[in-house]
Amino acid sequence: ARIAVLASGRGSNLQAILDAISVGELPAEIVGVFSDKPAAAVLQRVAPALRWSADARTFPSREAFDAALADAVAACRPDWVVCAGYMRILGDGFVSRFRGRLLNIHPSLLPRYPGLRTHARALADGQREHGASVHFVIPELDAGAVIAQAVVPVRADDDAEALATRVLAVEHPLLVAVLRLAAAGRLAEHGTTITLDGH
Ligand code: GRF
């Protein structure tokens, strides 16, 4: 399967995908890494030919940036487009172009804690469990059909950083497991439900 990745930061989720591919655990290839941050460390994890980045501030509008991003993503003919720490909201134009093969990994047990600062919010609420979700992307933020989740305990002495570290550690195998389903052709979005076909 041809996988394009959108990311804005460190890229540990991308690295988990690359590692799974290199040990033969995921029959896929990374066909492009796309970032809104030209200096993002995530870009350094792949060869220069696979990198695309642009500073959104150099575009006349959000839509113009999204259109340029969509054209660049489409050019690498991805089977799946994975948002892994992509910190811009994708507009309807981008989502509609890739809907059904556009995934996101989010550090919370959706529908709880969409948006930012999920670990601090879970701690503030006294949650006993937290975790990560991989879901289909739809125009509404962090609201598409959830494909799979990984749960971690919240410890009494956790701060946001400790909890984030524990969640990140389960994000990586969660994302790889979902992409294995996708690569096997066993994942399809139908509105608000997903189909993992029987075999
Ligand atoms: C992850 O926690 C992901 O869930 C969130 O941003 C973080 C990205 O981390 N959306 P990395 O760049 O993949 O290391």
Side-chain angles (χ1 to χ4, degrees):
R2 298 174 61 86
I3 299 174
V5 173
L6 277 57
S8 304
R10 157 193 56 192
S12 72
N13 275 287
L14 168 64
Q15 193 59 54
I17 299 170
L18 291 166
D19 294 348
I21 291 171
S22 65
V23 298
E25 192 185 300
L26 178 58
E29 63 176 311
I30 296 294
V31 294
V33 177
F34 302 82
S35 187
D36 58 321
K37 301 286 183 207
V42 63
L43 292 165
Q44 302 307 312
R45 295 180 189 267
V46 292
L50 293 181
R51 300 172 193 160
W52 184 95
S53 66
D55 182 336
R57 293 170 301 185
T58 64
F59 287 77
S61 69
R62 167 181 292 278
E63 291 72 22
F65 176 81
D66 270 4
L69 174 65
D71 287 346
V73 172
C76 69
R77 293 181 294 106
D79 298 308
W80 295 91
V81 182
V82 178
C83 299
Y86 185 67
M87 300 314 283
R88 281 174 65 84
I89 293 177
L90 290 167
D92 295 9
F94 185 95
V95 173
S96 60
R97 195 151 166 190
F98 298 102
R99 179 162 181 167
R101 54 192 170 122
L102 180 56
L103 307 176
N104 182 46
I105 184 160
H106 178 76
S108 81
L109 297 176
L110 292 171
R112 283 181 288 176
Y113 306 115
L116 299 174
R117 299 182 55 259
T118 66
H119 314 299
R121 290 156 59 201
L123 286 173
D125 290 347
Q127 295 291 350
R128 305 298 305 276
E129 287 186 335
H130 191 41
S133 305
V134 178
H135 64 95
F136 280 101
V137 173
I138 64 173
E140 184 186 353
L141 181 67
D142 298 332
V146 174
I147 298 162
Q149 297 187 312
V151 182
V152 300
V154 178
R155 302 198 194 294
D157 61 349
D158 271 342
D159 59 13
E161 185 181 355
L163 185 53
T165 301
R166 191 171 314 121
V167 169
L168 192 63
V170 299
E171 287 185 36
H172 300 153
L174 177 68
L175 183 54
V176 169
V178 170
L179 289 176
R180 281 170 55 80
L181 289 172
R186 298 190 58 198
L187 194 56
E189 182 200 20
H190 303 290
T192 59
T193 61
I194 64 173
T195 303
L196 303 182
D197 55 348
H199 75 272

